[in-house]
Amino acid sequence: MNTSVVIVCAGNSTRMGGINKILMPLGERLVIGVTMQAFEKCESISEIIIVARESDFPAIYEEAKNAGITKLKKCTVGGSTRQESVINGVKCISSDSEMIAIHDGARPLVKPEYIEKTIKDASIFGGATLGVPVKDTIKMVEDGLITDTPPRKFLYITQTPQVFKRKIYFEGIDFALEHGLDFTDDCQLVEAIGSKVYMTTGDYTNIKITTPEDINIAKILLER
């Protein structure tokens, strides 16, 4: 399945104390290098588009070269919101791409087999996202008081990649722009037009590096 992946890493790393997490060392590579390698290994991935700050472009291209990445098509700048950043990346995909995958650049430990599994599920259902069942009991809280306890069997932690058929995703973008909607999750784009998204079960090692302790956890998981 001819799939373009848009890797989003244009955030300002506020929760990392201003440290650019995608350019932090992780094993023998940088975080973004490990992320790119996961998609480089996938037969279904035809090209990689990276959305980042323009000042990071030279380091990303250099890392791609050092990591043996051949599928990186280009880097493009992000927008003022995640949705705008993703749209900027989607504008760069090839005209013959059948599927669009969106991935967080700070999720370097995603496994190629789960990427392929998500792409396959999306080709059947129109959209799919990686995720894992929650382990903890979740509480709904308002004004500091618990208002509800949703059944845990229905709850999943959503990860990335999130993969969609090209036509469906473009319809979702058009709908969001037309109605002035701004989503932090790409599944919401297609949910907004009534399309279903399949939850592809992955694993708990596909963590997102958000805070300083996460990079230490990622190093341990990578060594294993």
Side-chain angles (χ1 to χ4, degrees):
M1 189 63 66
N2 188 7
T3 305
S4 299
V5 60
V6 175
I7 300 178
V8 186
C9 38
N12 54 21
S13 299
T14 302
R15 285 172 288 183
M16 287 294 291
I19 299 172
N20 193 340
K21 54 193 174 187
I22 69 160
L23 299 181
M24 294 179 71
L26 182 59
E28 298 179 355
R29 300 259 55 86
L30 303 181
V31 169
I32 189 60
V34 179
T35 303
M36 286 191 286
Q37 285 180 328
F39 289 89
E40 177 80 15
K41 295 174 183 177
C42 295
E43 184 178 345
S44 298
I45 298 295
S46 58
E47 61 183 6
I48 298 171
I49 311 294
I50 292 185
V51 185
R53 294 178 290 191
E54 191 170 6
S55 59
D56 294 336
F57 288 4
I60 293 171
Y61 283 123
E62 180 67 18
E63 176 65 5
K65 178 182 177 182
N66 294 337
I69 305 300
T70 64
K71 295 180 181 180
L72 177 59
K73 180 180 180 181
K74 70 175 296 184
C75 294
T76 190
V77 293
S80 59
T81 66
R82 185 183 188 280
Q83 182 172 290
E84 288 182 7
S85 294
V86 173
I87 291 174
N88 286 353
V90 169
K91 289 178 180 177
C92 300
I93 68 173
S94 299
S95 58
D96 61 348
S97 294
E98 302 169 87
M99 310 284 288
I100 300 172
I102 314 296
H103 187 68
D104 298 320
R107 286 190 190 272
L109 302 183
V110 62
K111 294 181 174 66
E113 57 265 35
Y114 287 125
I115 297 172
E116 293 285 6
K117 185 180 178 184
T118 310
I119 292 172
K120 181 179 179 181
D121 288 339
S123 71
I124 296 171
F125 296 95
T129 180
L130 264 184
V132 288
V134 300
K135 296 179 179 181
D136 301 319
T137 297
I138 305 298
K139 298 290 185 179
M140 301 287 291
V141 178
E142 186 175 349
D143 297 328
L145 297 174
I146 294 172
T147 59
D148 194 16
T149 305
R152 192 166 58 187
K153 65 179 181 179
F154 297 124
L155 302 177
Y156 275 69
I157 300 169
T158 307
Q159 303 174 343
T160 64
Q162 298 182 358
V163 187
F164 311 93
K165 288 183 178 178
R166 180 193 184 104
K167 182 176 182 296
I168 291 174
Y169 193 72
F170 272 63
E171 287 178 2
I173 290 176
D174 289 342
F175 182 84
L177 294 176
E178 181 181 348
H179 292 82
L181 302 173
D182 187 75
F183 297 118
T184 57
D185 175 82
D186 295 283
C187 292
Q188 290 176 288
L189 275 173
V190 299
E191 291 169 16
I193 60 172
S195 189
K196 301 296 184 182
V197 181
Y198 187 80
M199 180 61 76
T200 303
T201 302
D203 66 16
Y204 294 92
T205 64
N206 185 21
I207 65 170
K208 185 177 182 181
I209 298 172
T210 304
T211 56
E213 58 267 24
D214 293 333
I215 191 70
N216 295 322
I217 295 171
K219 288 177 180 178
I220 293 171
L221 293 172
L222 185 63
E223 289 174 1
R224 289 182 178 177

